[in-house]
Amino acid sequence: MPRTTTLECPGCPPLRALTFDSLGLIKVIESRGERGIPQVVERWGDPDSSKCVLAASIDDRKKDPLLAVARKNGEVEVLNPLNGEIRVVFSNVVEDGVQPEDDAIAGLHLFKRERSTGYSPLSCPLLTCTTKGNASMRSIGVDKSMADVANINVTKTWKVCGSGNVLCSKVDGSENYAVFGGKGVEVNLWDLESSTKIWTAKPPPKNSLGIFTPTWFTCTTFLSNDDHRKFAAGTNNHQVHLYDISAQRRPVLSFDFRETAIKAVTEDQDGHTIYIGNGSGDLASFDMRTGKLLGCFIGKCSGSIRSMARHPELPVIASCGLDSYLRLWDINTRQLLSAVFLKQHLTNVVFDSNFVDKEIAATAQNVDGIQTTEIQTEDEIGTLPVKRKKASKEKRGKKKKSEENEESAVTKSKKKSRKHKRENGDDA
């Protein structure tokens, strides 16, 4: 029986995520309300195993965002992540006679247009790298008026490795450097401006038994967006290595995590915490300053984790994999917020950080409007009557004495009138 969680899910804050699966489908998941339940709101594409999504990258700017998707058949699509409209489609197959499956895309990165230099404002640079190490930089035309004509220019091409298979790549926060690694390929750092290799890792030494562990990197990430010198890499031998190119060529820190291959790794915004997912569905966070395990996430996944994404604003991390579930976790409590079953094996997940829940926004506007109306009503009515103060004891005493004097005077006048009537009666 598959291992599944029976924990109660409290729900998610407002967010929007896009998932990609083995049949080439793109599904949009949204959560609305303060503690909403994520649901599939849109599905783009038709099921086709030859269009399995291998890599995805998003430029989630507020105005005119873009999403790049690399497929198994060698095609790369650039589309609008808001409505799924395809802008550009091109084939990444460079060599004649080579099947797309033999040289599939292993790395994909869509550059942010406000950071790109040397490119037209209507174009967006795109980096691709195949398993055989063929890296290329392209300028993709994204002008809506030229939607029918694909404006694609290959600006740079280079060879990342001479042998082995590239399985992972990552571009740093400044988008000036990229790291590559794979099976038989040591992690190496490249300067994207000059397309030159500036650093290569050194393989680890033999163990105490004289056995050499072959190189097999499966995932990598930079620790911080501001520093390209430190990055972490996961291996097929359930190890995590931390590299510092300013210190040495071998790892400055290494540790093991469970007993299955590390399949996904992503960084936190604090610059020293990373999240790790492996082939048996375990998800945990580590402090890379000491290599200490901060804790494992509560709620077991029943399949291999293949992709993770950290929300840039909310304390939420998403994971997906071969169990066909998209799971959303709270990074502070490490508890499962919600899980969505999406039927197909999932390969990638990305967040749309500019998603705004219209219901919450409308509620906030209504509250502001009600407060404004109340203020205007008070201004129209004017100042409210001031509550009278209670009289002091002395005044109350004087008032009481005056009332008593009045009562005594009335009593005396009544007595005189009665006496006068009696006297008149006697005389008669």
Side-chain angles (χ1 to χ4, degrees):
M1 294 293 293
R3 294 172 292 177
T4 57
T5 178
T6 58
L7 298 176
E8 294 183 0
C9 300
C12 297
L15 54 82
R16 185 173 188 262
L18 289 85
T19 60
F20 313 87
D21 57 41
S22 58
L23 293 182
L25 300 176
I26 302 175
K27 297 180 182 179
V28 182
I29 294 90
E30 292 183 1
S31 173
R32 299 180 181 274
E34 291 296 335
R35 285 293 176 183
I37 299 175
Q39 295 179 351
V40 179
V41 296
E42 287 185 83
R43 193 188 80 168
W44 304 331
D46 298 323
D48 187 356
S49 60
S50 65
K51 292 186 176 182
C52 171
V53 177
L54 303 178
S57 178
I58 188 172
D59 177 13
D60 56 345
R61 49 189 290 169
K62 292 184 179 180
K63 183 179 180 181
D64 194 18
L66 290 177
L67 173 68
V69 176
R71 300 187 181 275
K72 187 178 179 181
N73 58 4
E75 290 184 351
V76 177
E77 297 178 359
V78 179
L79 47 88
N80 188 341
L82 300 179
N83 53 20
E85 177 186 358
I86 297 178
R87 298 285 188 83
V88 178
V89 181
F90 65 92
S91 178
N92 192 63
V93 179
V94 179
E95 300 178 3
D96 296 334
V98 177
Q99 297 295 328
E101 294 81 4
D102 298 335
D103 195 15
I105 296 176
L108 179 71
H109 182 77
L110 185 65
F111 288 76
K112 300 184 184 299
R113 278 165 284 176
E114 58 266 19
R115 292 185 179 181
S116 59
T117 58
Y119 292 90
S120 171
L122 299 177
S123 64
C124 182
L126 179 70
L127 172 67
T128 59
C129 182
T130 64
T131 56
K132 291 185 178 180
N134 297 318
S136 61
M137 188 81 73
R138 290 178 171 85
S139 175
I140 309 297
V142 293
D143 190 3
K144 294 182 179 180
S145 61
M146 301 177 62
D148 296 336
V149 180
N151 185 12
I152 304 170
N153 298 319
V154 179
T155 58
K156 298 177 184 178
T157 58
W158 68 93
K159 194 78 172 177
V160 172
C161 62
S163 60
N165 294 326
V166 176
L167 300 179
C168 58
S169 67
K170 183 71 174 180
V171 177
D172 74 321
S174 64
E175 298 186 332
N176 295 324
Y177 302 92
V179 61
F180 302 91
K183 185 176 182 180
V185 181
E186 290 290 342
V187 286
N188 50 84
L189 191 67
W190 287 73
D191 186 349
L192 298 178
E193 292 292 334
S194 59
S195 302
T196 56
K197 185 190 297 185
I198 61 176
W199 183 87
T200 305
K202 192 175 182 179
K206 298 179 181 179
N207 58 14
S208 58
L209 299 177
I211 300 175
F212 176 75
T213 303
T215 302
W216 195 338
F217 291 97
T218 56
C219 53
T220 182
T221 186
F222 289 91
L223 289 187
S224 173
N225 292 331
D226 302 328
D227 189 5
H228 69 278
R229 297 173 298 176
K230 295 181 181 180
F231 58 90
T235 69
N236 194 64
N237 303 313
H238 58 85
Q239 290 183 337
V240 179
H241 300 312
L242 174 64
Y243 292 92
D244 187 353
I245 66 173
S246 61
Q248 60 187 28
R249 293 177 58 191
R250 279 180 173 159
V252 295
L253 179 66
S254 296
F255 56 86
D256 294 346
F257 178 60
R258 301 297 171 89
E259 297 179 355
T260 55
I262 308 297
K263 292 296 184 180
V265 59
T266 188
E267 77 283 357
D268 195 84
Q269 296 176 353
D270 58 9
H272 55 78
T273 303
I274 64 171
Y275 304 96
I276 298 172
N278 64 4
S280 59
D282 299 300
L283 182 62
S285 59
F286 282 84
D287 188 347
M288 296 306 292
R289 294 173 296 184
T290 59
K292 180 181 178 181
L293 173 65
L294 298 178
C296 294
F297 285 74
I298 303 172
K300 183 71 177 179
C301 302
S302 59
S304 173
I305 296 176
R306 292 305 171 93
S307 178
M308 293 190 301
R310 165 73 160 86
H311 198 283
E313 297 177 0
L314 300 174
V316 176
I317 186 172
S319 67
C320 65
L322 300 185
D323 62 349
S324 305
Y325 273 92
L326 170 67
R327 287 181 168 85
L328 300 165
W329 316 79
D330 188 338
I331 63 173
N332 296 324
T333 61
R334 290 188 288 274
Q335 290 186 350
L336 182 65
L337 296 177
S338 186
V340 185
F341 181 66
L342 299 175
K343 298 182 181 180
Q344 287 81 25
H345 293 171
L346 303 178
T347 57
N348 284 275
V349 58
V350 295
F351 276 115
D352 182 5
S353 61
N354 293 317
F355 172 72
V356 178
D357 190 359
K358 296 181 180 179
E359 296 178 359
I360 293 181
T363 304
Q365 291 179 358
N366 293 335
V367 171
D368 294 340
I370 292 171
Q371 292 177 354
T372 306
T373 305
E374 290 177 354
I375 294 172
Q376 291 178 353
T377 306
E378 291 180 0
D379 294 339
E380 293 173 358
I381 293 173
T383 57
L384 296 174
V386 181
K387 187 177 181 180
R388 294 181 179 179
K389 295 182 179 180
K390 292 182 178 180
S392 60
K393 292 182 179 180
E394 294 179 358
K395 292 182 179 180
R396 285 195 300 244
K398 290 180 181 179
K399 186 176 181 181
K400 190 174 182 181
K401 287 181 181 180
S402 61
E403 290 177 353
E404 290 177 355
N405 294 332
E406 290 177 358
E407 290 179 357
S408 61
V410 171
T411 305
K412 288 180 180 180
S413 62
K414 286 182 178 180
K415 288 181 178 180
K416 286 181 180 181
S417 61
R418 289 175 184 172
K419 186 177 180 181
H420 183 69
K421 287 180 180 180
R422 287 174 184 174
E423 290 176 355
N424 293 333
D426 295 337
D427 294 339

